[in-house]
Amino acid sequence: MTIKSITSLGVDVSKSSVTCHILIQYPVGGLKTYWQKTRTKASTLFPSFYSSPNPKRNQKSAFDFADYVRDSSVDVAILEPTGNHYSRVWAQILESLGIKILWVGHIELRRYRGGKNLPNKSDEADALAMAAYPQDQENYLESGELNERQFLMHRPEPIDHLRELVQQIEHLNRVQSPIINYTRQMLAWQFPEKAHSKTESTKPGNVPPLWGWLAQRESEVHSPSYKSLTKKYQKSIAFLLGLEVDPIVRLHADWLCDIDIEEQRLEAKLKPKVFDEQFQIYNQIFDQFNFGLRIRARLLSRIYPFEAFLTNGKQLIEREVREVKKKQVSRENGKSVVKFLPGDIKRVKRNRSRDAFKLRIGMGTVLEQSGDKLVEVGSGSALCRMTFWQYVITKIEIDGRLPKNPIGEEIALYRDTLKNQVDASGKQLLNGKHLQNKLMSKVANILFRELSRAIAVHK
């Protein structure tokens, strides 16, 4: 596909609608000039279509969208991955019409739109930016072919299904948290001896003992556990005082039982997908970190195929020139040596492949404008970032939890080195979130390194 042969459709997806724009060539004079000329004709040049149109407002439907695309002889459609659910029906319509779909990342689109001086928070401007993206010469190879590395790689169907299962499990986690909190508050006076006790199902098909006992689902609870809870309740101070278990507590417990059974069903579907033969290399690396099932699923759904982060099978390492903002000093032979002064220019290496990898798993950073300053903020998958944080506090910060292998030893040594950094008074310099963020970044860097080595050997 060459630049002279593309009719591109930009599709900005909202919660219940899409805004579209079509370009047959990159606008002469630039996007800003084009935008200023066309924005007053938004209703015709930037039509909107609704998944649930309001007839009183004469809104166009998804059927009208299909007719619009068919009549426009579109070659390629560009979408932003605004949630699997919001974009799914529109992507399915495009696929049914035989339209090639290219996905542009959130960060890439934001930078592109900003670089073209298009307004922010405008559906029409977003649609225009997406339509122009495959028309822009910057996104082409020297041969004149569209450089598809400028777009998100299409994920295989197993990865899409795996990601959907992960999202469903995480949704159930979020749903049950407030239910558990309220139930435990009620139990504080209705069954105080068990109000804050841990309860988990240990056998597939069974529910957590406490919730099953409260919900009176005896057949789904391990028999000895059910009898033990009954005896403990009969000896409870609440029972002796005549304080009965409220029906709303039993209702909440019943919900928690249903959620647990559904989580078991989803994990049963998730496990064979995660340990599928095509992910064998990835799982061999994950084994060295002692990652659990859900962590593996979250990571796979975002980093597969790993080759997408490489260039011709190798890491893309570039050098860039940077102005020094703060005096940099190092210690050599017991003396302080000034390496750079403010205003000096230095060349630094940037591993673009690793940066892209870390951004995808929530461990990257981007620069954002805040007043008259540029602020570095965390970016990428918040869910994956939470996963790394949980790994740090449950496996790294607790002695004896790291795997007994070279990777575990490397992480432990790095952790101890950070903790041993003290000031003149002997106070530890790194604590809390600062220390945890350093450890999270270290784990991400090691994971990238090990995957790079494994994929290179496999190739």
Side-chain angles (χ1 to χ4, degrees):
M1 185 177 290
T2 62
I3 193 168
K4 295 181 180 180
S5 64
I6 288 181
T7 297
S8 59
L9 169 67
V11 183
D12 181 67
V13 181
S14 300
K15 188 176 295 186
S16 59
S17 65
V18 291
T19 300
C20 305
H21 189 66
I22 292 177
L23 284 178
I24 58 173
Q25 65 179 19
Y26 191 84
V28 177
L31 286 190
K32 184 177 181 181
T33 301
Y34 181 85
W35 167 254
Q36 291 174 341
K37 290 180 180 179
T38 58
R39 62 180 179 177
T40 56
K41 303 175 183 178
S43 60
T44 55
L45 295 179
F46 299 88
S48 295
F49 304 90
Y50 297 81
S51 55
S52 181
N54 187 336
K56 295 181 179 179
R57 296 183 180 179
N58 202 25
Q59 293 175 341
K60 297 179 180 179
S61 69
F63 294 99
D64 296 318
F65 172 74
D67 293 337
Y68 169 77
V69 173
R70 189 184 298 108
D71 296 342
S72 302
S73 301
V74 170
D75 297 309
V76 60
I78 299 83
L79 284 81
E80 185 182 13
T82 313
N84 289 341
H85 304 296
Y86 296 147
S87 59
R88 192 164 187 170
V89 66
W90 308 104
Q92 193 66 42
I93 292 173
L94 292 167
E95 289 178 356
S96 69
L97 295 173
I99 306 299
K100 180 179 179 65
I101 299 176
L102 296 175
W103 300 86
V104 180
H106 302 294
I107 296 172
E108 290 81 0
L109 182 62
R110 185 172 64 212
R111 288 175 178 170
Y112 183 76
R113 185 185 59 222
K116 301 300 181 179
N117 295 314
L118 294 176
N120 193 13
K121 304 296 183 181
S122 168
D123 295 342
E124 291 81 6
D126 282 346
L128 172 59
M130 281 187 274
Y133 199 80
Q135 302 278 5
D136 199 317
Q137 293 185 7
E138 294 182 359
N139 297 321
Y140 279 76
L141 301 171
E142 292 182 359
S143 62
E145 294 291 322
L146 186 65
N147 182 5
E148 296 198 7
R149 291 191 63 85
Q150 297 294 96
F151 302 85
L152 297 178
M153 287 188 68
H154 175 68
R155 296 187 304 266
E157 186 176 342
I159 287 294
D160 280 335
H161 194 197
L162 187 148
R163 188 167 189 171
E164 190 170 325
L165 289 172
V166 169
Q167 289 175 339
Q168 290 175 4
I169 291 174
E170 294 305 323
H171 167 69
L172 293 178
N173 272 339
R174 290 191 296 269
V175 166
Q176 65 180 315
S177 292
I179 302 175
I180 291 174
N181 292 339
Y182 181 78
T183 303
R184 293 195 183 281
Q185 290 172 20
M186 297 288 282
L187 290 178
W189 59 273
Q190 296 177 21
F191 194 177
E193 293 81 0
K194 283 293 181 179
H196 303 291
S197 64
K198 188 176 181 180
T199 181
E200 292 180 346
S201 56
T202 56
K203 180 182 177 182
N206 280 2
V207 298
L210 180 58
W211 309 142
W213 181 84
L214 289 168
Q216 299 175 321
R217 294 167 67 155
E218 185 173 357
S219 62
E220 298 173 80
V221 179
H222 185 51
S223 182
S225 298
Y226 197 92
K227 291 177 182 178
S228 174
L229 283 165
T230 302
K231 291 179 181 179
K232 286 182 180 179
Y233 178 67
Q234 291 171 348
K235 296 178 182 179
S236 169
I237 185 66
F239 179 78
L240 296 175
L241 292 173
L243 300 173
E244 298 181 352
V245 176
D246 195 286
I248 196 170
V249 173
R250 298 196 184 280
L251 175 64
H252 279 56
D254 198 39
W255 292 343
L256 292 172
C257 290
D258 288 341
I259 290 173
D260 191 83
I261 291 295
E262 181 62 13
E263 283 186 324
Q264 292 180 36
R265 184 188 72 83
L266 292 174
E267 286 195 341
K269 294 179 67 176
L270 190 65
K271 189 172 183 178
K273 294 185 179 298
V274 168
F275 291 101
D276 188 271
E277 186 177 352
Q278 64 182 317
F279 304 134
Q280 182 180 1
I281 297 176
Y282 297 82
N283 280 307
Q284 289 172 353
I285 302 302
F286 294 159
D287 288 341
Q288 297 179 50
F289 291 84
N290 199 19
F291 286 154
L293 176 65
R294 295 191 185 185
I295 295 179
R296 294 171 189 244
R298 291 169 189 163
L299 290 174
L300 280 174
S301 68
R302 286 163 174 80
I303 68 173
Y304 184 87
F306 183 79
E307 291 86 345
F309 302 104
L310 307 177
T311 301
N312 297 324
K314 297 180 180 180
Q315 298 178 30
L316 177 60
I317 299 177
E318 297 178 338
R319 292 186 178 273
E320 65 178 27
V321 176
R322 183 182 297 176
E323 181 181 348
V324 177
K325 301 294 184 182
K326 186 178 180 181
K327 183 171 72 172
Q328 296 183 9
V329 182
S330 65
R331 296 286 293 179
E332 295 181 8
N333 299 323
K335 297 181 180 180
S336 296
V337 179
V338 177
K339 293 290 187 181
F340 296 98
L341 292 171
D344 287 350
I345 300 298
K346 69 174 182 178
R347 296 187 64 185
V348 295
K349 287 198 303 184
R350 290 293 302 271
N351 191 325
R352 302 296 182 185
S353 297
R354 187 183 62 195
D355 291 348
F357 173 84
K358 292 179 70 175
L359 191 63
R360 185 71 62 84
I361 59 176
M363 295 304 302
T365 58
V366 296
L367 292 175
E368 290 189 355
Q369 192 75 32
S370 178
D372 59 347
K373 299 179 181 178
L374 283 174
V375 180
E376 192 174 49
V377 297
S379 186
S381 168
L383 182 59
C384 276
R385 188 158 55 249
M386 176 63 72
T387 293
F388 279 96
W389 177 77
Q390 290 172 339
Y391 183 78
V392 166
I393 64 173
T394 60
K395 294 290 179 65
I396 300 179
E397 291 195 333
I398 300 177
D399 292 334
R401 292 282 187 88
L402 281 169
K404 306 297 183 182
N405 58 32
I407 286 180
E409 293 171 1
E410 182 180 354
I411 295 173
L413 177 61
Y414 183 72
R415 175 199 63 198
D416 295 339
T417 302
L418 292 178
K419 289 187 175 182
N420 290 334
Q421 294 179 7
V422 297
D423 59 16
S425 65
K427 182 180 179 181
Q428 187 173 317
L429 292 175
L430 296 175
N431 286 291
K433 288 185 177 180
H434 194 181
L435 175 62
Q436 291 165 0
N437 286 336
K438 288 277 189 181
L439 292 170
M440 289 161 62
S441 183
K442 181 67 172 180
V443 173
N445 288 337
I446 296 176
L447 179 61
F448 175 80
R449 183 193 70 198
E450 295 302 316
L451 283 170
S452 298
R453 292 174 178 174
I455 298 297
V457 169
H458 181 70
K459 289 295 184 182

